[in-house]
């Protein structure tokens, strides 16, 4: 299910997908392999001043290592700092000067007051619930739809399979921004504009996810299917009992990216939802910003409410996020 | 190799002859499996695509069925200064963002490549902006770049003085580009990290033995080795940059900054075609322009990548 370098414990079907994709943790996988013989003895290291070895067994001088950490901390400040500044702003009380120069980085008297005020200003918890509903629905439909379609593209034989594959490739290449007006028209005709169902539907089975699943199923050894056939398993049984458990990893990736995509989406909900009682968090946040931008504390609290669940999810499932990007983009 | 998943299907599956032995299912079973995905693709991607192209030649509005008007929408576009402003901004966005997103994430990937203690934390932290919604990211930077925000406060402290990041037409566009690059760094970093894992370390070591410095090694070893990934990142980021909407919408506001001078093409599509008074026909014609340029971009970048290969 993961690309973790634990060759001994991996169950037989999973490595078929894992092995083909050197994930971002790739260097870790090579650990101790090719370099074993080249590693200098401890004497050699001592002779040339302080040296360290990294996880791959490569030598690195103390100066280079320190330089690396300085750079890493610099980039860290640039990437995570803005989030922390937003968090700090959201915790500053109404009497604290948020415009002070030089700036005060920590709230003098941290308070959750702003979070309560956001809830008084916009129905932020309703919006969060809407976002959650949309995201969960999107996860379910994407997992089911993409697994089914991916399986039929990869493991069943019939006339028209090539054409079917082409349909999904074309669908993936069509830029969403270009069809959004027509999608809005379709939703109006179906009377689904201004509903959460209307938000979910266009992205409920992403063509890219179908192709990801197809790829995962293709990598399963064919012998497994043959053995199941001998036992008289029909297509549905082969799908649910044999193929699906073997591609859990990819399925998890699809689930995570479906959740993130639905939770973070802005343009489509902005177009399809017009009634402010139906907003998702992103659209609600934009509304909050537009209406109450004179108080950055309030907007900051709203932004933290919107981003905190995803950061938590990310911290828990970091490896799967990275694998998804690796699988989606790097091939050959 | 085209886009993330156009590349995927080309991988070699099991040999065709062997698969064909497995065929024990009813004739309609494969289509039942495909049904949900196919229905969604047909109803919400392919049909809208077709109707966008068809509507582009009508004067349809949200509540009014349209008449065929031939190429009138495109002629109007050619005369419309707002269209040219939007096209200019989207192209500028592309030109500004793509080189940064091809190069900076590669450098970042090299920085986080080695397995030194704590590196997993740093990789995760650098990815955080990718996980956050573009709306959150936009609002974070709106607050940071505000006239009285942190960046200006720091600039004043060091004696440079205030910079109108969010009030000047060009600085606004530049700020939005910066936000796009900031949000995209981690995403492309991971892509490069996967590619770098496949570069044989011996190449680097041999170059180092030959006396090549870090810059030389980067240009002579790393860049050629990840060149195909650079082309991929170039294709992905140029398509995404040309279709920019949210960053500019959030930083410059729904109307696109001072006098609408920062409107992008997709913002114009959104503004023209939605709501009860939306001019669906004209917005569809604008969408067709988005399609054509997006497709052309993909082809150009991939063609450029292939030529260098030969």
């Amino acid at each position: 299910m993961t690309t973790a370098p634990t060759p001994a414990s991996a169950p037989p079907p999973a490595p078929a997908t894992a092995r083909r994709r050197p994930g971002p943790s790739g260097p870790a996988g090579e650990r101790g392999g090719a370099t074993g013989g080249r590693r200098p003895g401890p004497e050699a290291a001592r002779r040339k001043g302080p040296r360290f070895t990294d996880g791959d067994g490569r030598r690195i001088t103390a100066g280079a290592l320190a330089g690396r950490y300085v750079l890493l901390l610099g980039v860290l400040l640039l990437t995570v700092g803005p989030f922390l500044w937003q968090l700090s702003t959201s915790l500053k009380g109404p009497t604290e000067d948020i415009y002070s120069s030089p700036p005060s980085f920590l709230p003098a008297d941290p308070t959750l007051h702003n979070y309560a005020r956001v809830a008084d200003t916009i129905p932020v918890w309703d919006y969060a619930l809407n976002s959650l509903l949309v995201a969960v629905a999107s996860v379910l439909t994407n997992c089911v739809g993409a697994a089914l379609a991916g399986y039929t593209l990869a493991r069943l034989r019939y006339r028209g399979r090539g054409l079917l594959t082409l349909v999904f490739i074309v669908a993936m290449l069509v830029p969403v921004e270009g069809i959004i007006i027509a999608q809005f028209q379709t939703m109006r005709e179906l009377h689904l504009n201004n509903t959460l169902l209307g938000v979910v539907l266009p992205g409920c089975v992403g063509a890219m996810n179908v192709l990801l699943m197809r790829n995962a199923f293709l990598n399963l050894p064919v012998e497994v299917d043959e053995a199941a056939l001998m036992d008289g398993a029909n297509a549905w049984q082969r799908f649910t009992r044999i193929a699906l458990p073997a591609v859990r990893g990819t399925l998890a990736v699809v689930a995570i990216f479906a959740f993130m995509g639905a939770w973070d989406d802005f343009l489509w909900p902005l177009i399809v939802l017009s009634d402010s009682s139906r907003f998702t968090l992103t659209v609600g946040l934009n509304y909050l910003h537009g209406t109450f931008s004179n108080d950055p504390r309030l907007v900051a609290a709203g932004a933290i409410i919107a981003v905190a669940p995803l950061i938590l999810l990310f911290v828990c499932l970091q490896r799967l996020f990275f694998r998804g990007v690796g699988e989606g983009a790097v091939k050959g | 190799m085209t886009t993330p998943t156009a590349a995927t299907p080309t991988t070699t599956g099991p040999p065709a002859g062997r698969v064909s032995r497995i065929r024990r299912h009813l004739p309609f079973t494969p289509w039942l499996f495909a049904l949900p995905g196919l229905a969604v693709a047909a109803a919400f991607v392919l049909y809208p695509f077709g109707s966008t192209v068809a509507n582009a030649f009508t004067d349809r509005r949200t509540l009014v069925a349209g008449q065929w008007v031939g190429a009138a929408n495109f002629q109007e576009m050619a005369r419309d200064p707002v269209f040219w402003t939007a096209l200019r901004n989207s192209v500028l966005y592309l030109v500004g963002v793509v080189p940064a997103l091809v190069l900076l994430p590669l450098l970042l990937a090299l920085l986080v490549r080695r397995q030194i203690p704590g590196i997993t934390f740093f990789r995760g932290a650098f990815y955080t902006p990718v996980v956050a919604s573009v709306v959150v990211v936009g609002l974070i930077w709106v607050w940071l770049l505000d006239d009285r925000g942190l960046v200006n406060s720091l600039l004043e402290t060091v004696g440079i003085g205030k910079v109108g990041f969010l009030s000047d037409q060009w600085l606004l566009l530049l700020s939005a580009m910066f936000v796009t690059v900031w949000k995209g760094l981690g995403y492309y970093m991971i892509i490069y990290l996967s590619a770098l894992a496949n570069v044989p370390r011996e190449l680097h070591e041999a170059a180092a033995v030959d006396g090549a410095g870090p810059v030389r090694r980067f240009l002579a070893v790393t860049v050629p080795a990840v060149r195909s990934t650079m082309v991929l990142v170039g294709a992905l980021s140029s398509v995404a940059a040309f279709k920019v909407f949210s960053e500019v919408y959030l930083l410059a506001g729904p109307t696109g900054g001072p006098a609408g001078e920062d409107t992008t093409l997709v913002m114009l599509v959104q503004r023209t075609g939605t709501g009860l008074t939306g001019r669906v026909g004209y917005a569809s014609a604008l969408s067709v322009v988005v399609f054509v340029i997006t497709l052309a971009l993909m082809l150009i970048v991939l063609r450029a990548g292939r030529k260098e290969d030969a």
Side-chain angles (χ1 to χ4, degrees):
Chain A
M1 161 149 175
T2 66
T3 51
T6 48
S9 62
T17 40
R19 213 181 299 130
R20 300 190 60 102
R21 312 193 161 87
S25 57
E30 304 162 8
R31 192 176 304 182
T35 48
R38 324 173 105 252
R39 197 178 301 173
E43 297 90 335
R46 222 171 286 135
R47 238 179 287 132
K48 284 199 165 185
R51 274 170 184 279
F52 302 89
T53 48
D54 65 15
D56 296 332
R58 291 167 74 194
R59 286 165 302 134
I60 186 165
T61 63
L65 194 64
R68 239 162 222 269
Y69 278 115
V70 169
L71 278 173
L72 285 169
L73 288 172
V75 180
L76 183 71
L77 187 71
L78 200 64
T79 51
V80 178
F83 289 100
L84 296 178
W85 177 243
Q86 193 81 347
L87 181 65
S88 165
T89 304
S90 78
L91 295 173
K92 286 177 179 169
T95 52
E96 189 171 350
D97 180 16
I98 50 171
Y99 302 109
S100 64
S101 177
S104 59
F105 288 99
L106 291 174
D109 184 18
T111 168
L112 292 174
H113 178 64
N114 295 316
Y115 290 84
R117 276 176 61 223
V118 174
D120 292 341
T121 314
I122 57 169
V124 70
W125 303 117
D126 291 349
Y127 293 171
L129 183 66
N130 287 348
S131 279
L132 187 68
L133 285 173
V134 167
V136 169
S138 180
V139 167
L140 291 177
T141 52
N142 267 294
C143 283
V144 173
L148 283 168
Y151 186 77
T152 197
L153 291 181
R155 308 298 285 195
L156 301 176
R157 301 289 292 176
Y158 48 95
R159 280 178 72 95
R161 186 168 77 154
L163 187 69
L164 198 56
T165 313
L166 191 67
V167 166
F168 285 109
I169 292 176
V170 170
M172 188 195 67
L173 291 176
V174 172
V176 178
E177 290 83 350
I179 56 174
I180 214 144
I181 299 299
Q183 283 180 340
F184 176 62
Q185 291 295 314
T186 309
M187 287 306 158
R188 278 188 52 81
E189 282 154 16
L190 296 171
H191 298 288
L192 289 175
N193 59 317
N194 217 3
T195 66
L196 291 183
L197 188 60
V199 177
V200 176
L201 270 180
C204 73
V205 185
M208 172 156 168
N209 292 330
V210 170
L211 295 169
L212 263 179
M213 290 311 299
R214 167 191 181 269
N215 208 43
F217 284 123
L218 268 184
N219 289 332
L220 298 182
V222 73
E223 287 77 9
V224 189
D225 263 356
E226 286 173 347
L229 267 176
M230 298 291 185
D231 295 342
N234 63 29
W236 178 251
Q237 287 165 332
R238 296 203 301 273
F239 170 65
T240 54
R241 306 227 180 119
I242 296 163
L244 213 46
V247 297
R248 281 186 314 240
T250 310
L251 207 56
V253 167
V254 167
I256 279 185
F257 278 84
F259 191 94
M260 190 167 95
W263 183 276
D264 286 349
D265 195 15
F266 176 54
L267 177 56
W268 174 241
L270 179 73
I271 287 176
V272 83
L273 298 174
S274 49
D275 181 351
S276 69
S277 68
R278 306 259 172 94
F279 283 172
T280 58
L281 257 182
T282 50
V283 184
L285 210 51
N286 174 57
Y287 174 69
L288 178 74
H289 163 64
T291 324
F292 303 93
S293 54
N294 49 357
D295 193 350
R297 299 177 187 86
L298 213 58
V299 178
I304 295 297
I305 292 174
V307 80
L310 270 188
I311 291 187
L312 268 175
L313 190 76
F314 171 60
V315 169
C316 297
L317 304 170
Q318 198 186 49
R319 198 191 306 259
L320 286 171
F321 273 87
F322 287 174
R323 224 185 114 201
V325 180
E327 291 197 9
V330 179
K331 211 69 206 188
Chain B
M1 182 147 66
T2 49
T3 60
T5 25
T8 347
T10 57
T11 40
T12 48
R18 310 201 55 185
V19 181
S20 63
R21 275 194 270 148
I22 299 175
R23 203 183 197 149
R24 218 122 0 120
H25 53 73
L26 297 168
F28 54 82
T29 305
W31 299 98
L32 278 183
F33 271 79
L35 191 62
L38 191 59
V40 171
F44 299 114
V45 181
L46 301 178
Y47 169 70
F49 179 76
S51 73
T52 300
V53 175
N55 283 334
F57 299 94
T58 69
D59 60 359
R60 184 172 174 179
R61 286 171 178 265
T62 303
L63 299 174
V64 187
Q67 299 277 317
W68 174 266
V69 293
N73 286 326
F74 294 94
Q75 287 159 355
E76 180 185 342
M77 214 185 287
R79 289 190 306 267
D80 184 359
V82 179
F83 165 74
W84 291 107
T85 304
L87 185 64
R88 177 200 69 197
N89 288 335
S90 290
V91 170
L92 277 179
Y93 214 85
L94 171 94
V95 173
V97 161
V98 173
L101 276 181
V102 169
L103 192 63
L104 295 179
L106 176 57
L107 298 177
L108 201 56
L110 289 170
L111 183 65
V112 299
R113 187 187 177 191
R114 296 181 72 166
Q115 292 287 327
I116 53 180
I119 201 66
T120 316
F121 164 75
F122 283 108
R123 285 179 190 169
F126 297 171
Y127 197 73
T128 322
V130 182
V131 176
S133 163
V134 67
V135 177
V136 171
V137 167
L139 293 185
I140 284 178
W141 283 98
V142 164
W143 171 221
L144 279 167
L145 298 175
D146 187 271
D147 266 358
R148 298 190 290 165
L150 181 62
V151 175
N152 271 319
S153 165
L154 289 175
L155 288 178
E156 281 207 317
T157 309
V158 298
I160 296 178
K162 278 189 200 296
V163 178
F165 294 108
L166 302 182
S167 45
D168 175 78
Q169 173 199 341
W170 298 110
L171 280 176
L172 252 173
L173 206 59
L174 214 59
S175 304
M177 289 180 194
F178 172 83
V179 172
T180 302
V181 172
W182 183 80
K183 187 170 172 18
L185 275 180
Y187 183 80
Y188 296 112
M189 172 191 83
I190 297 298
I191 295 182
Y192 277 125
L193 213 46
S194 303
L196 284 174
N198 299 327
V199 179
R201 185 184 304 157
E202 287 69 23
L203 279 179
H204 261 283
E205 286 168 357
V209 169
D210 290 346
V215 176
R216 188 74 200 283
R217 284 203 304 262
F218 174 74
L219 291 175
V221 180
T222 310
V223 169
V226 298
R227 214 191 48 81
S228 68
T229 309
M230 292 176 82
V231 173
L232 172 71
V233 170
L236 289 177
S237 60
S238 54
V239 168
F242 182 73
K243 298 184 302 187
V244 63
F245 170 80
S246 305
E247 290 91 329
V248 181
Y249 184 93
L250 288 158
L251 263 65
T255 50
E261 278 293 318
D262 289 314
T263 301
T264 70
L265 208 48
V266 174
M267 282 173 82
L268 191 59
V269 169
Q270 181 261 352
R271 198 190 305 158
T272 315
T274 59
L276 294 179
T277 54
R279 296 183 61 202
V280 175
Y282 190 58
S284 299
L286 291 167
S287 301
V288 169
V289 174
V290 175
F291 288 143
V292 171
I293 298 183
T294 307
L295 199 67
L297 277 173
M298 249 189 286
L299 291 177
I300 289 169
V301 177
L302 295 172
R303 175 69 59 85
R306 206 162 299 151
K307 230 174 229 158
E308 282 175 39
D309 256 344

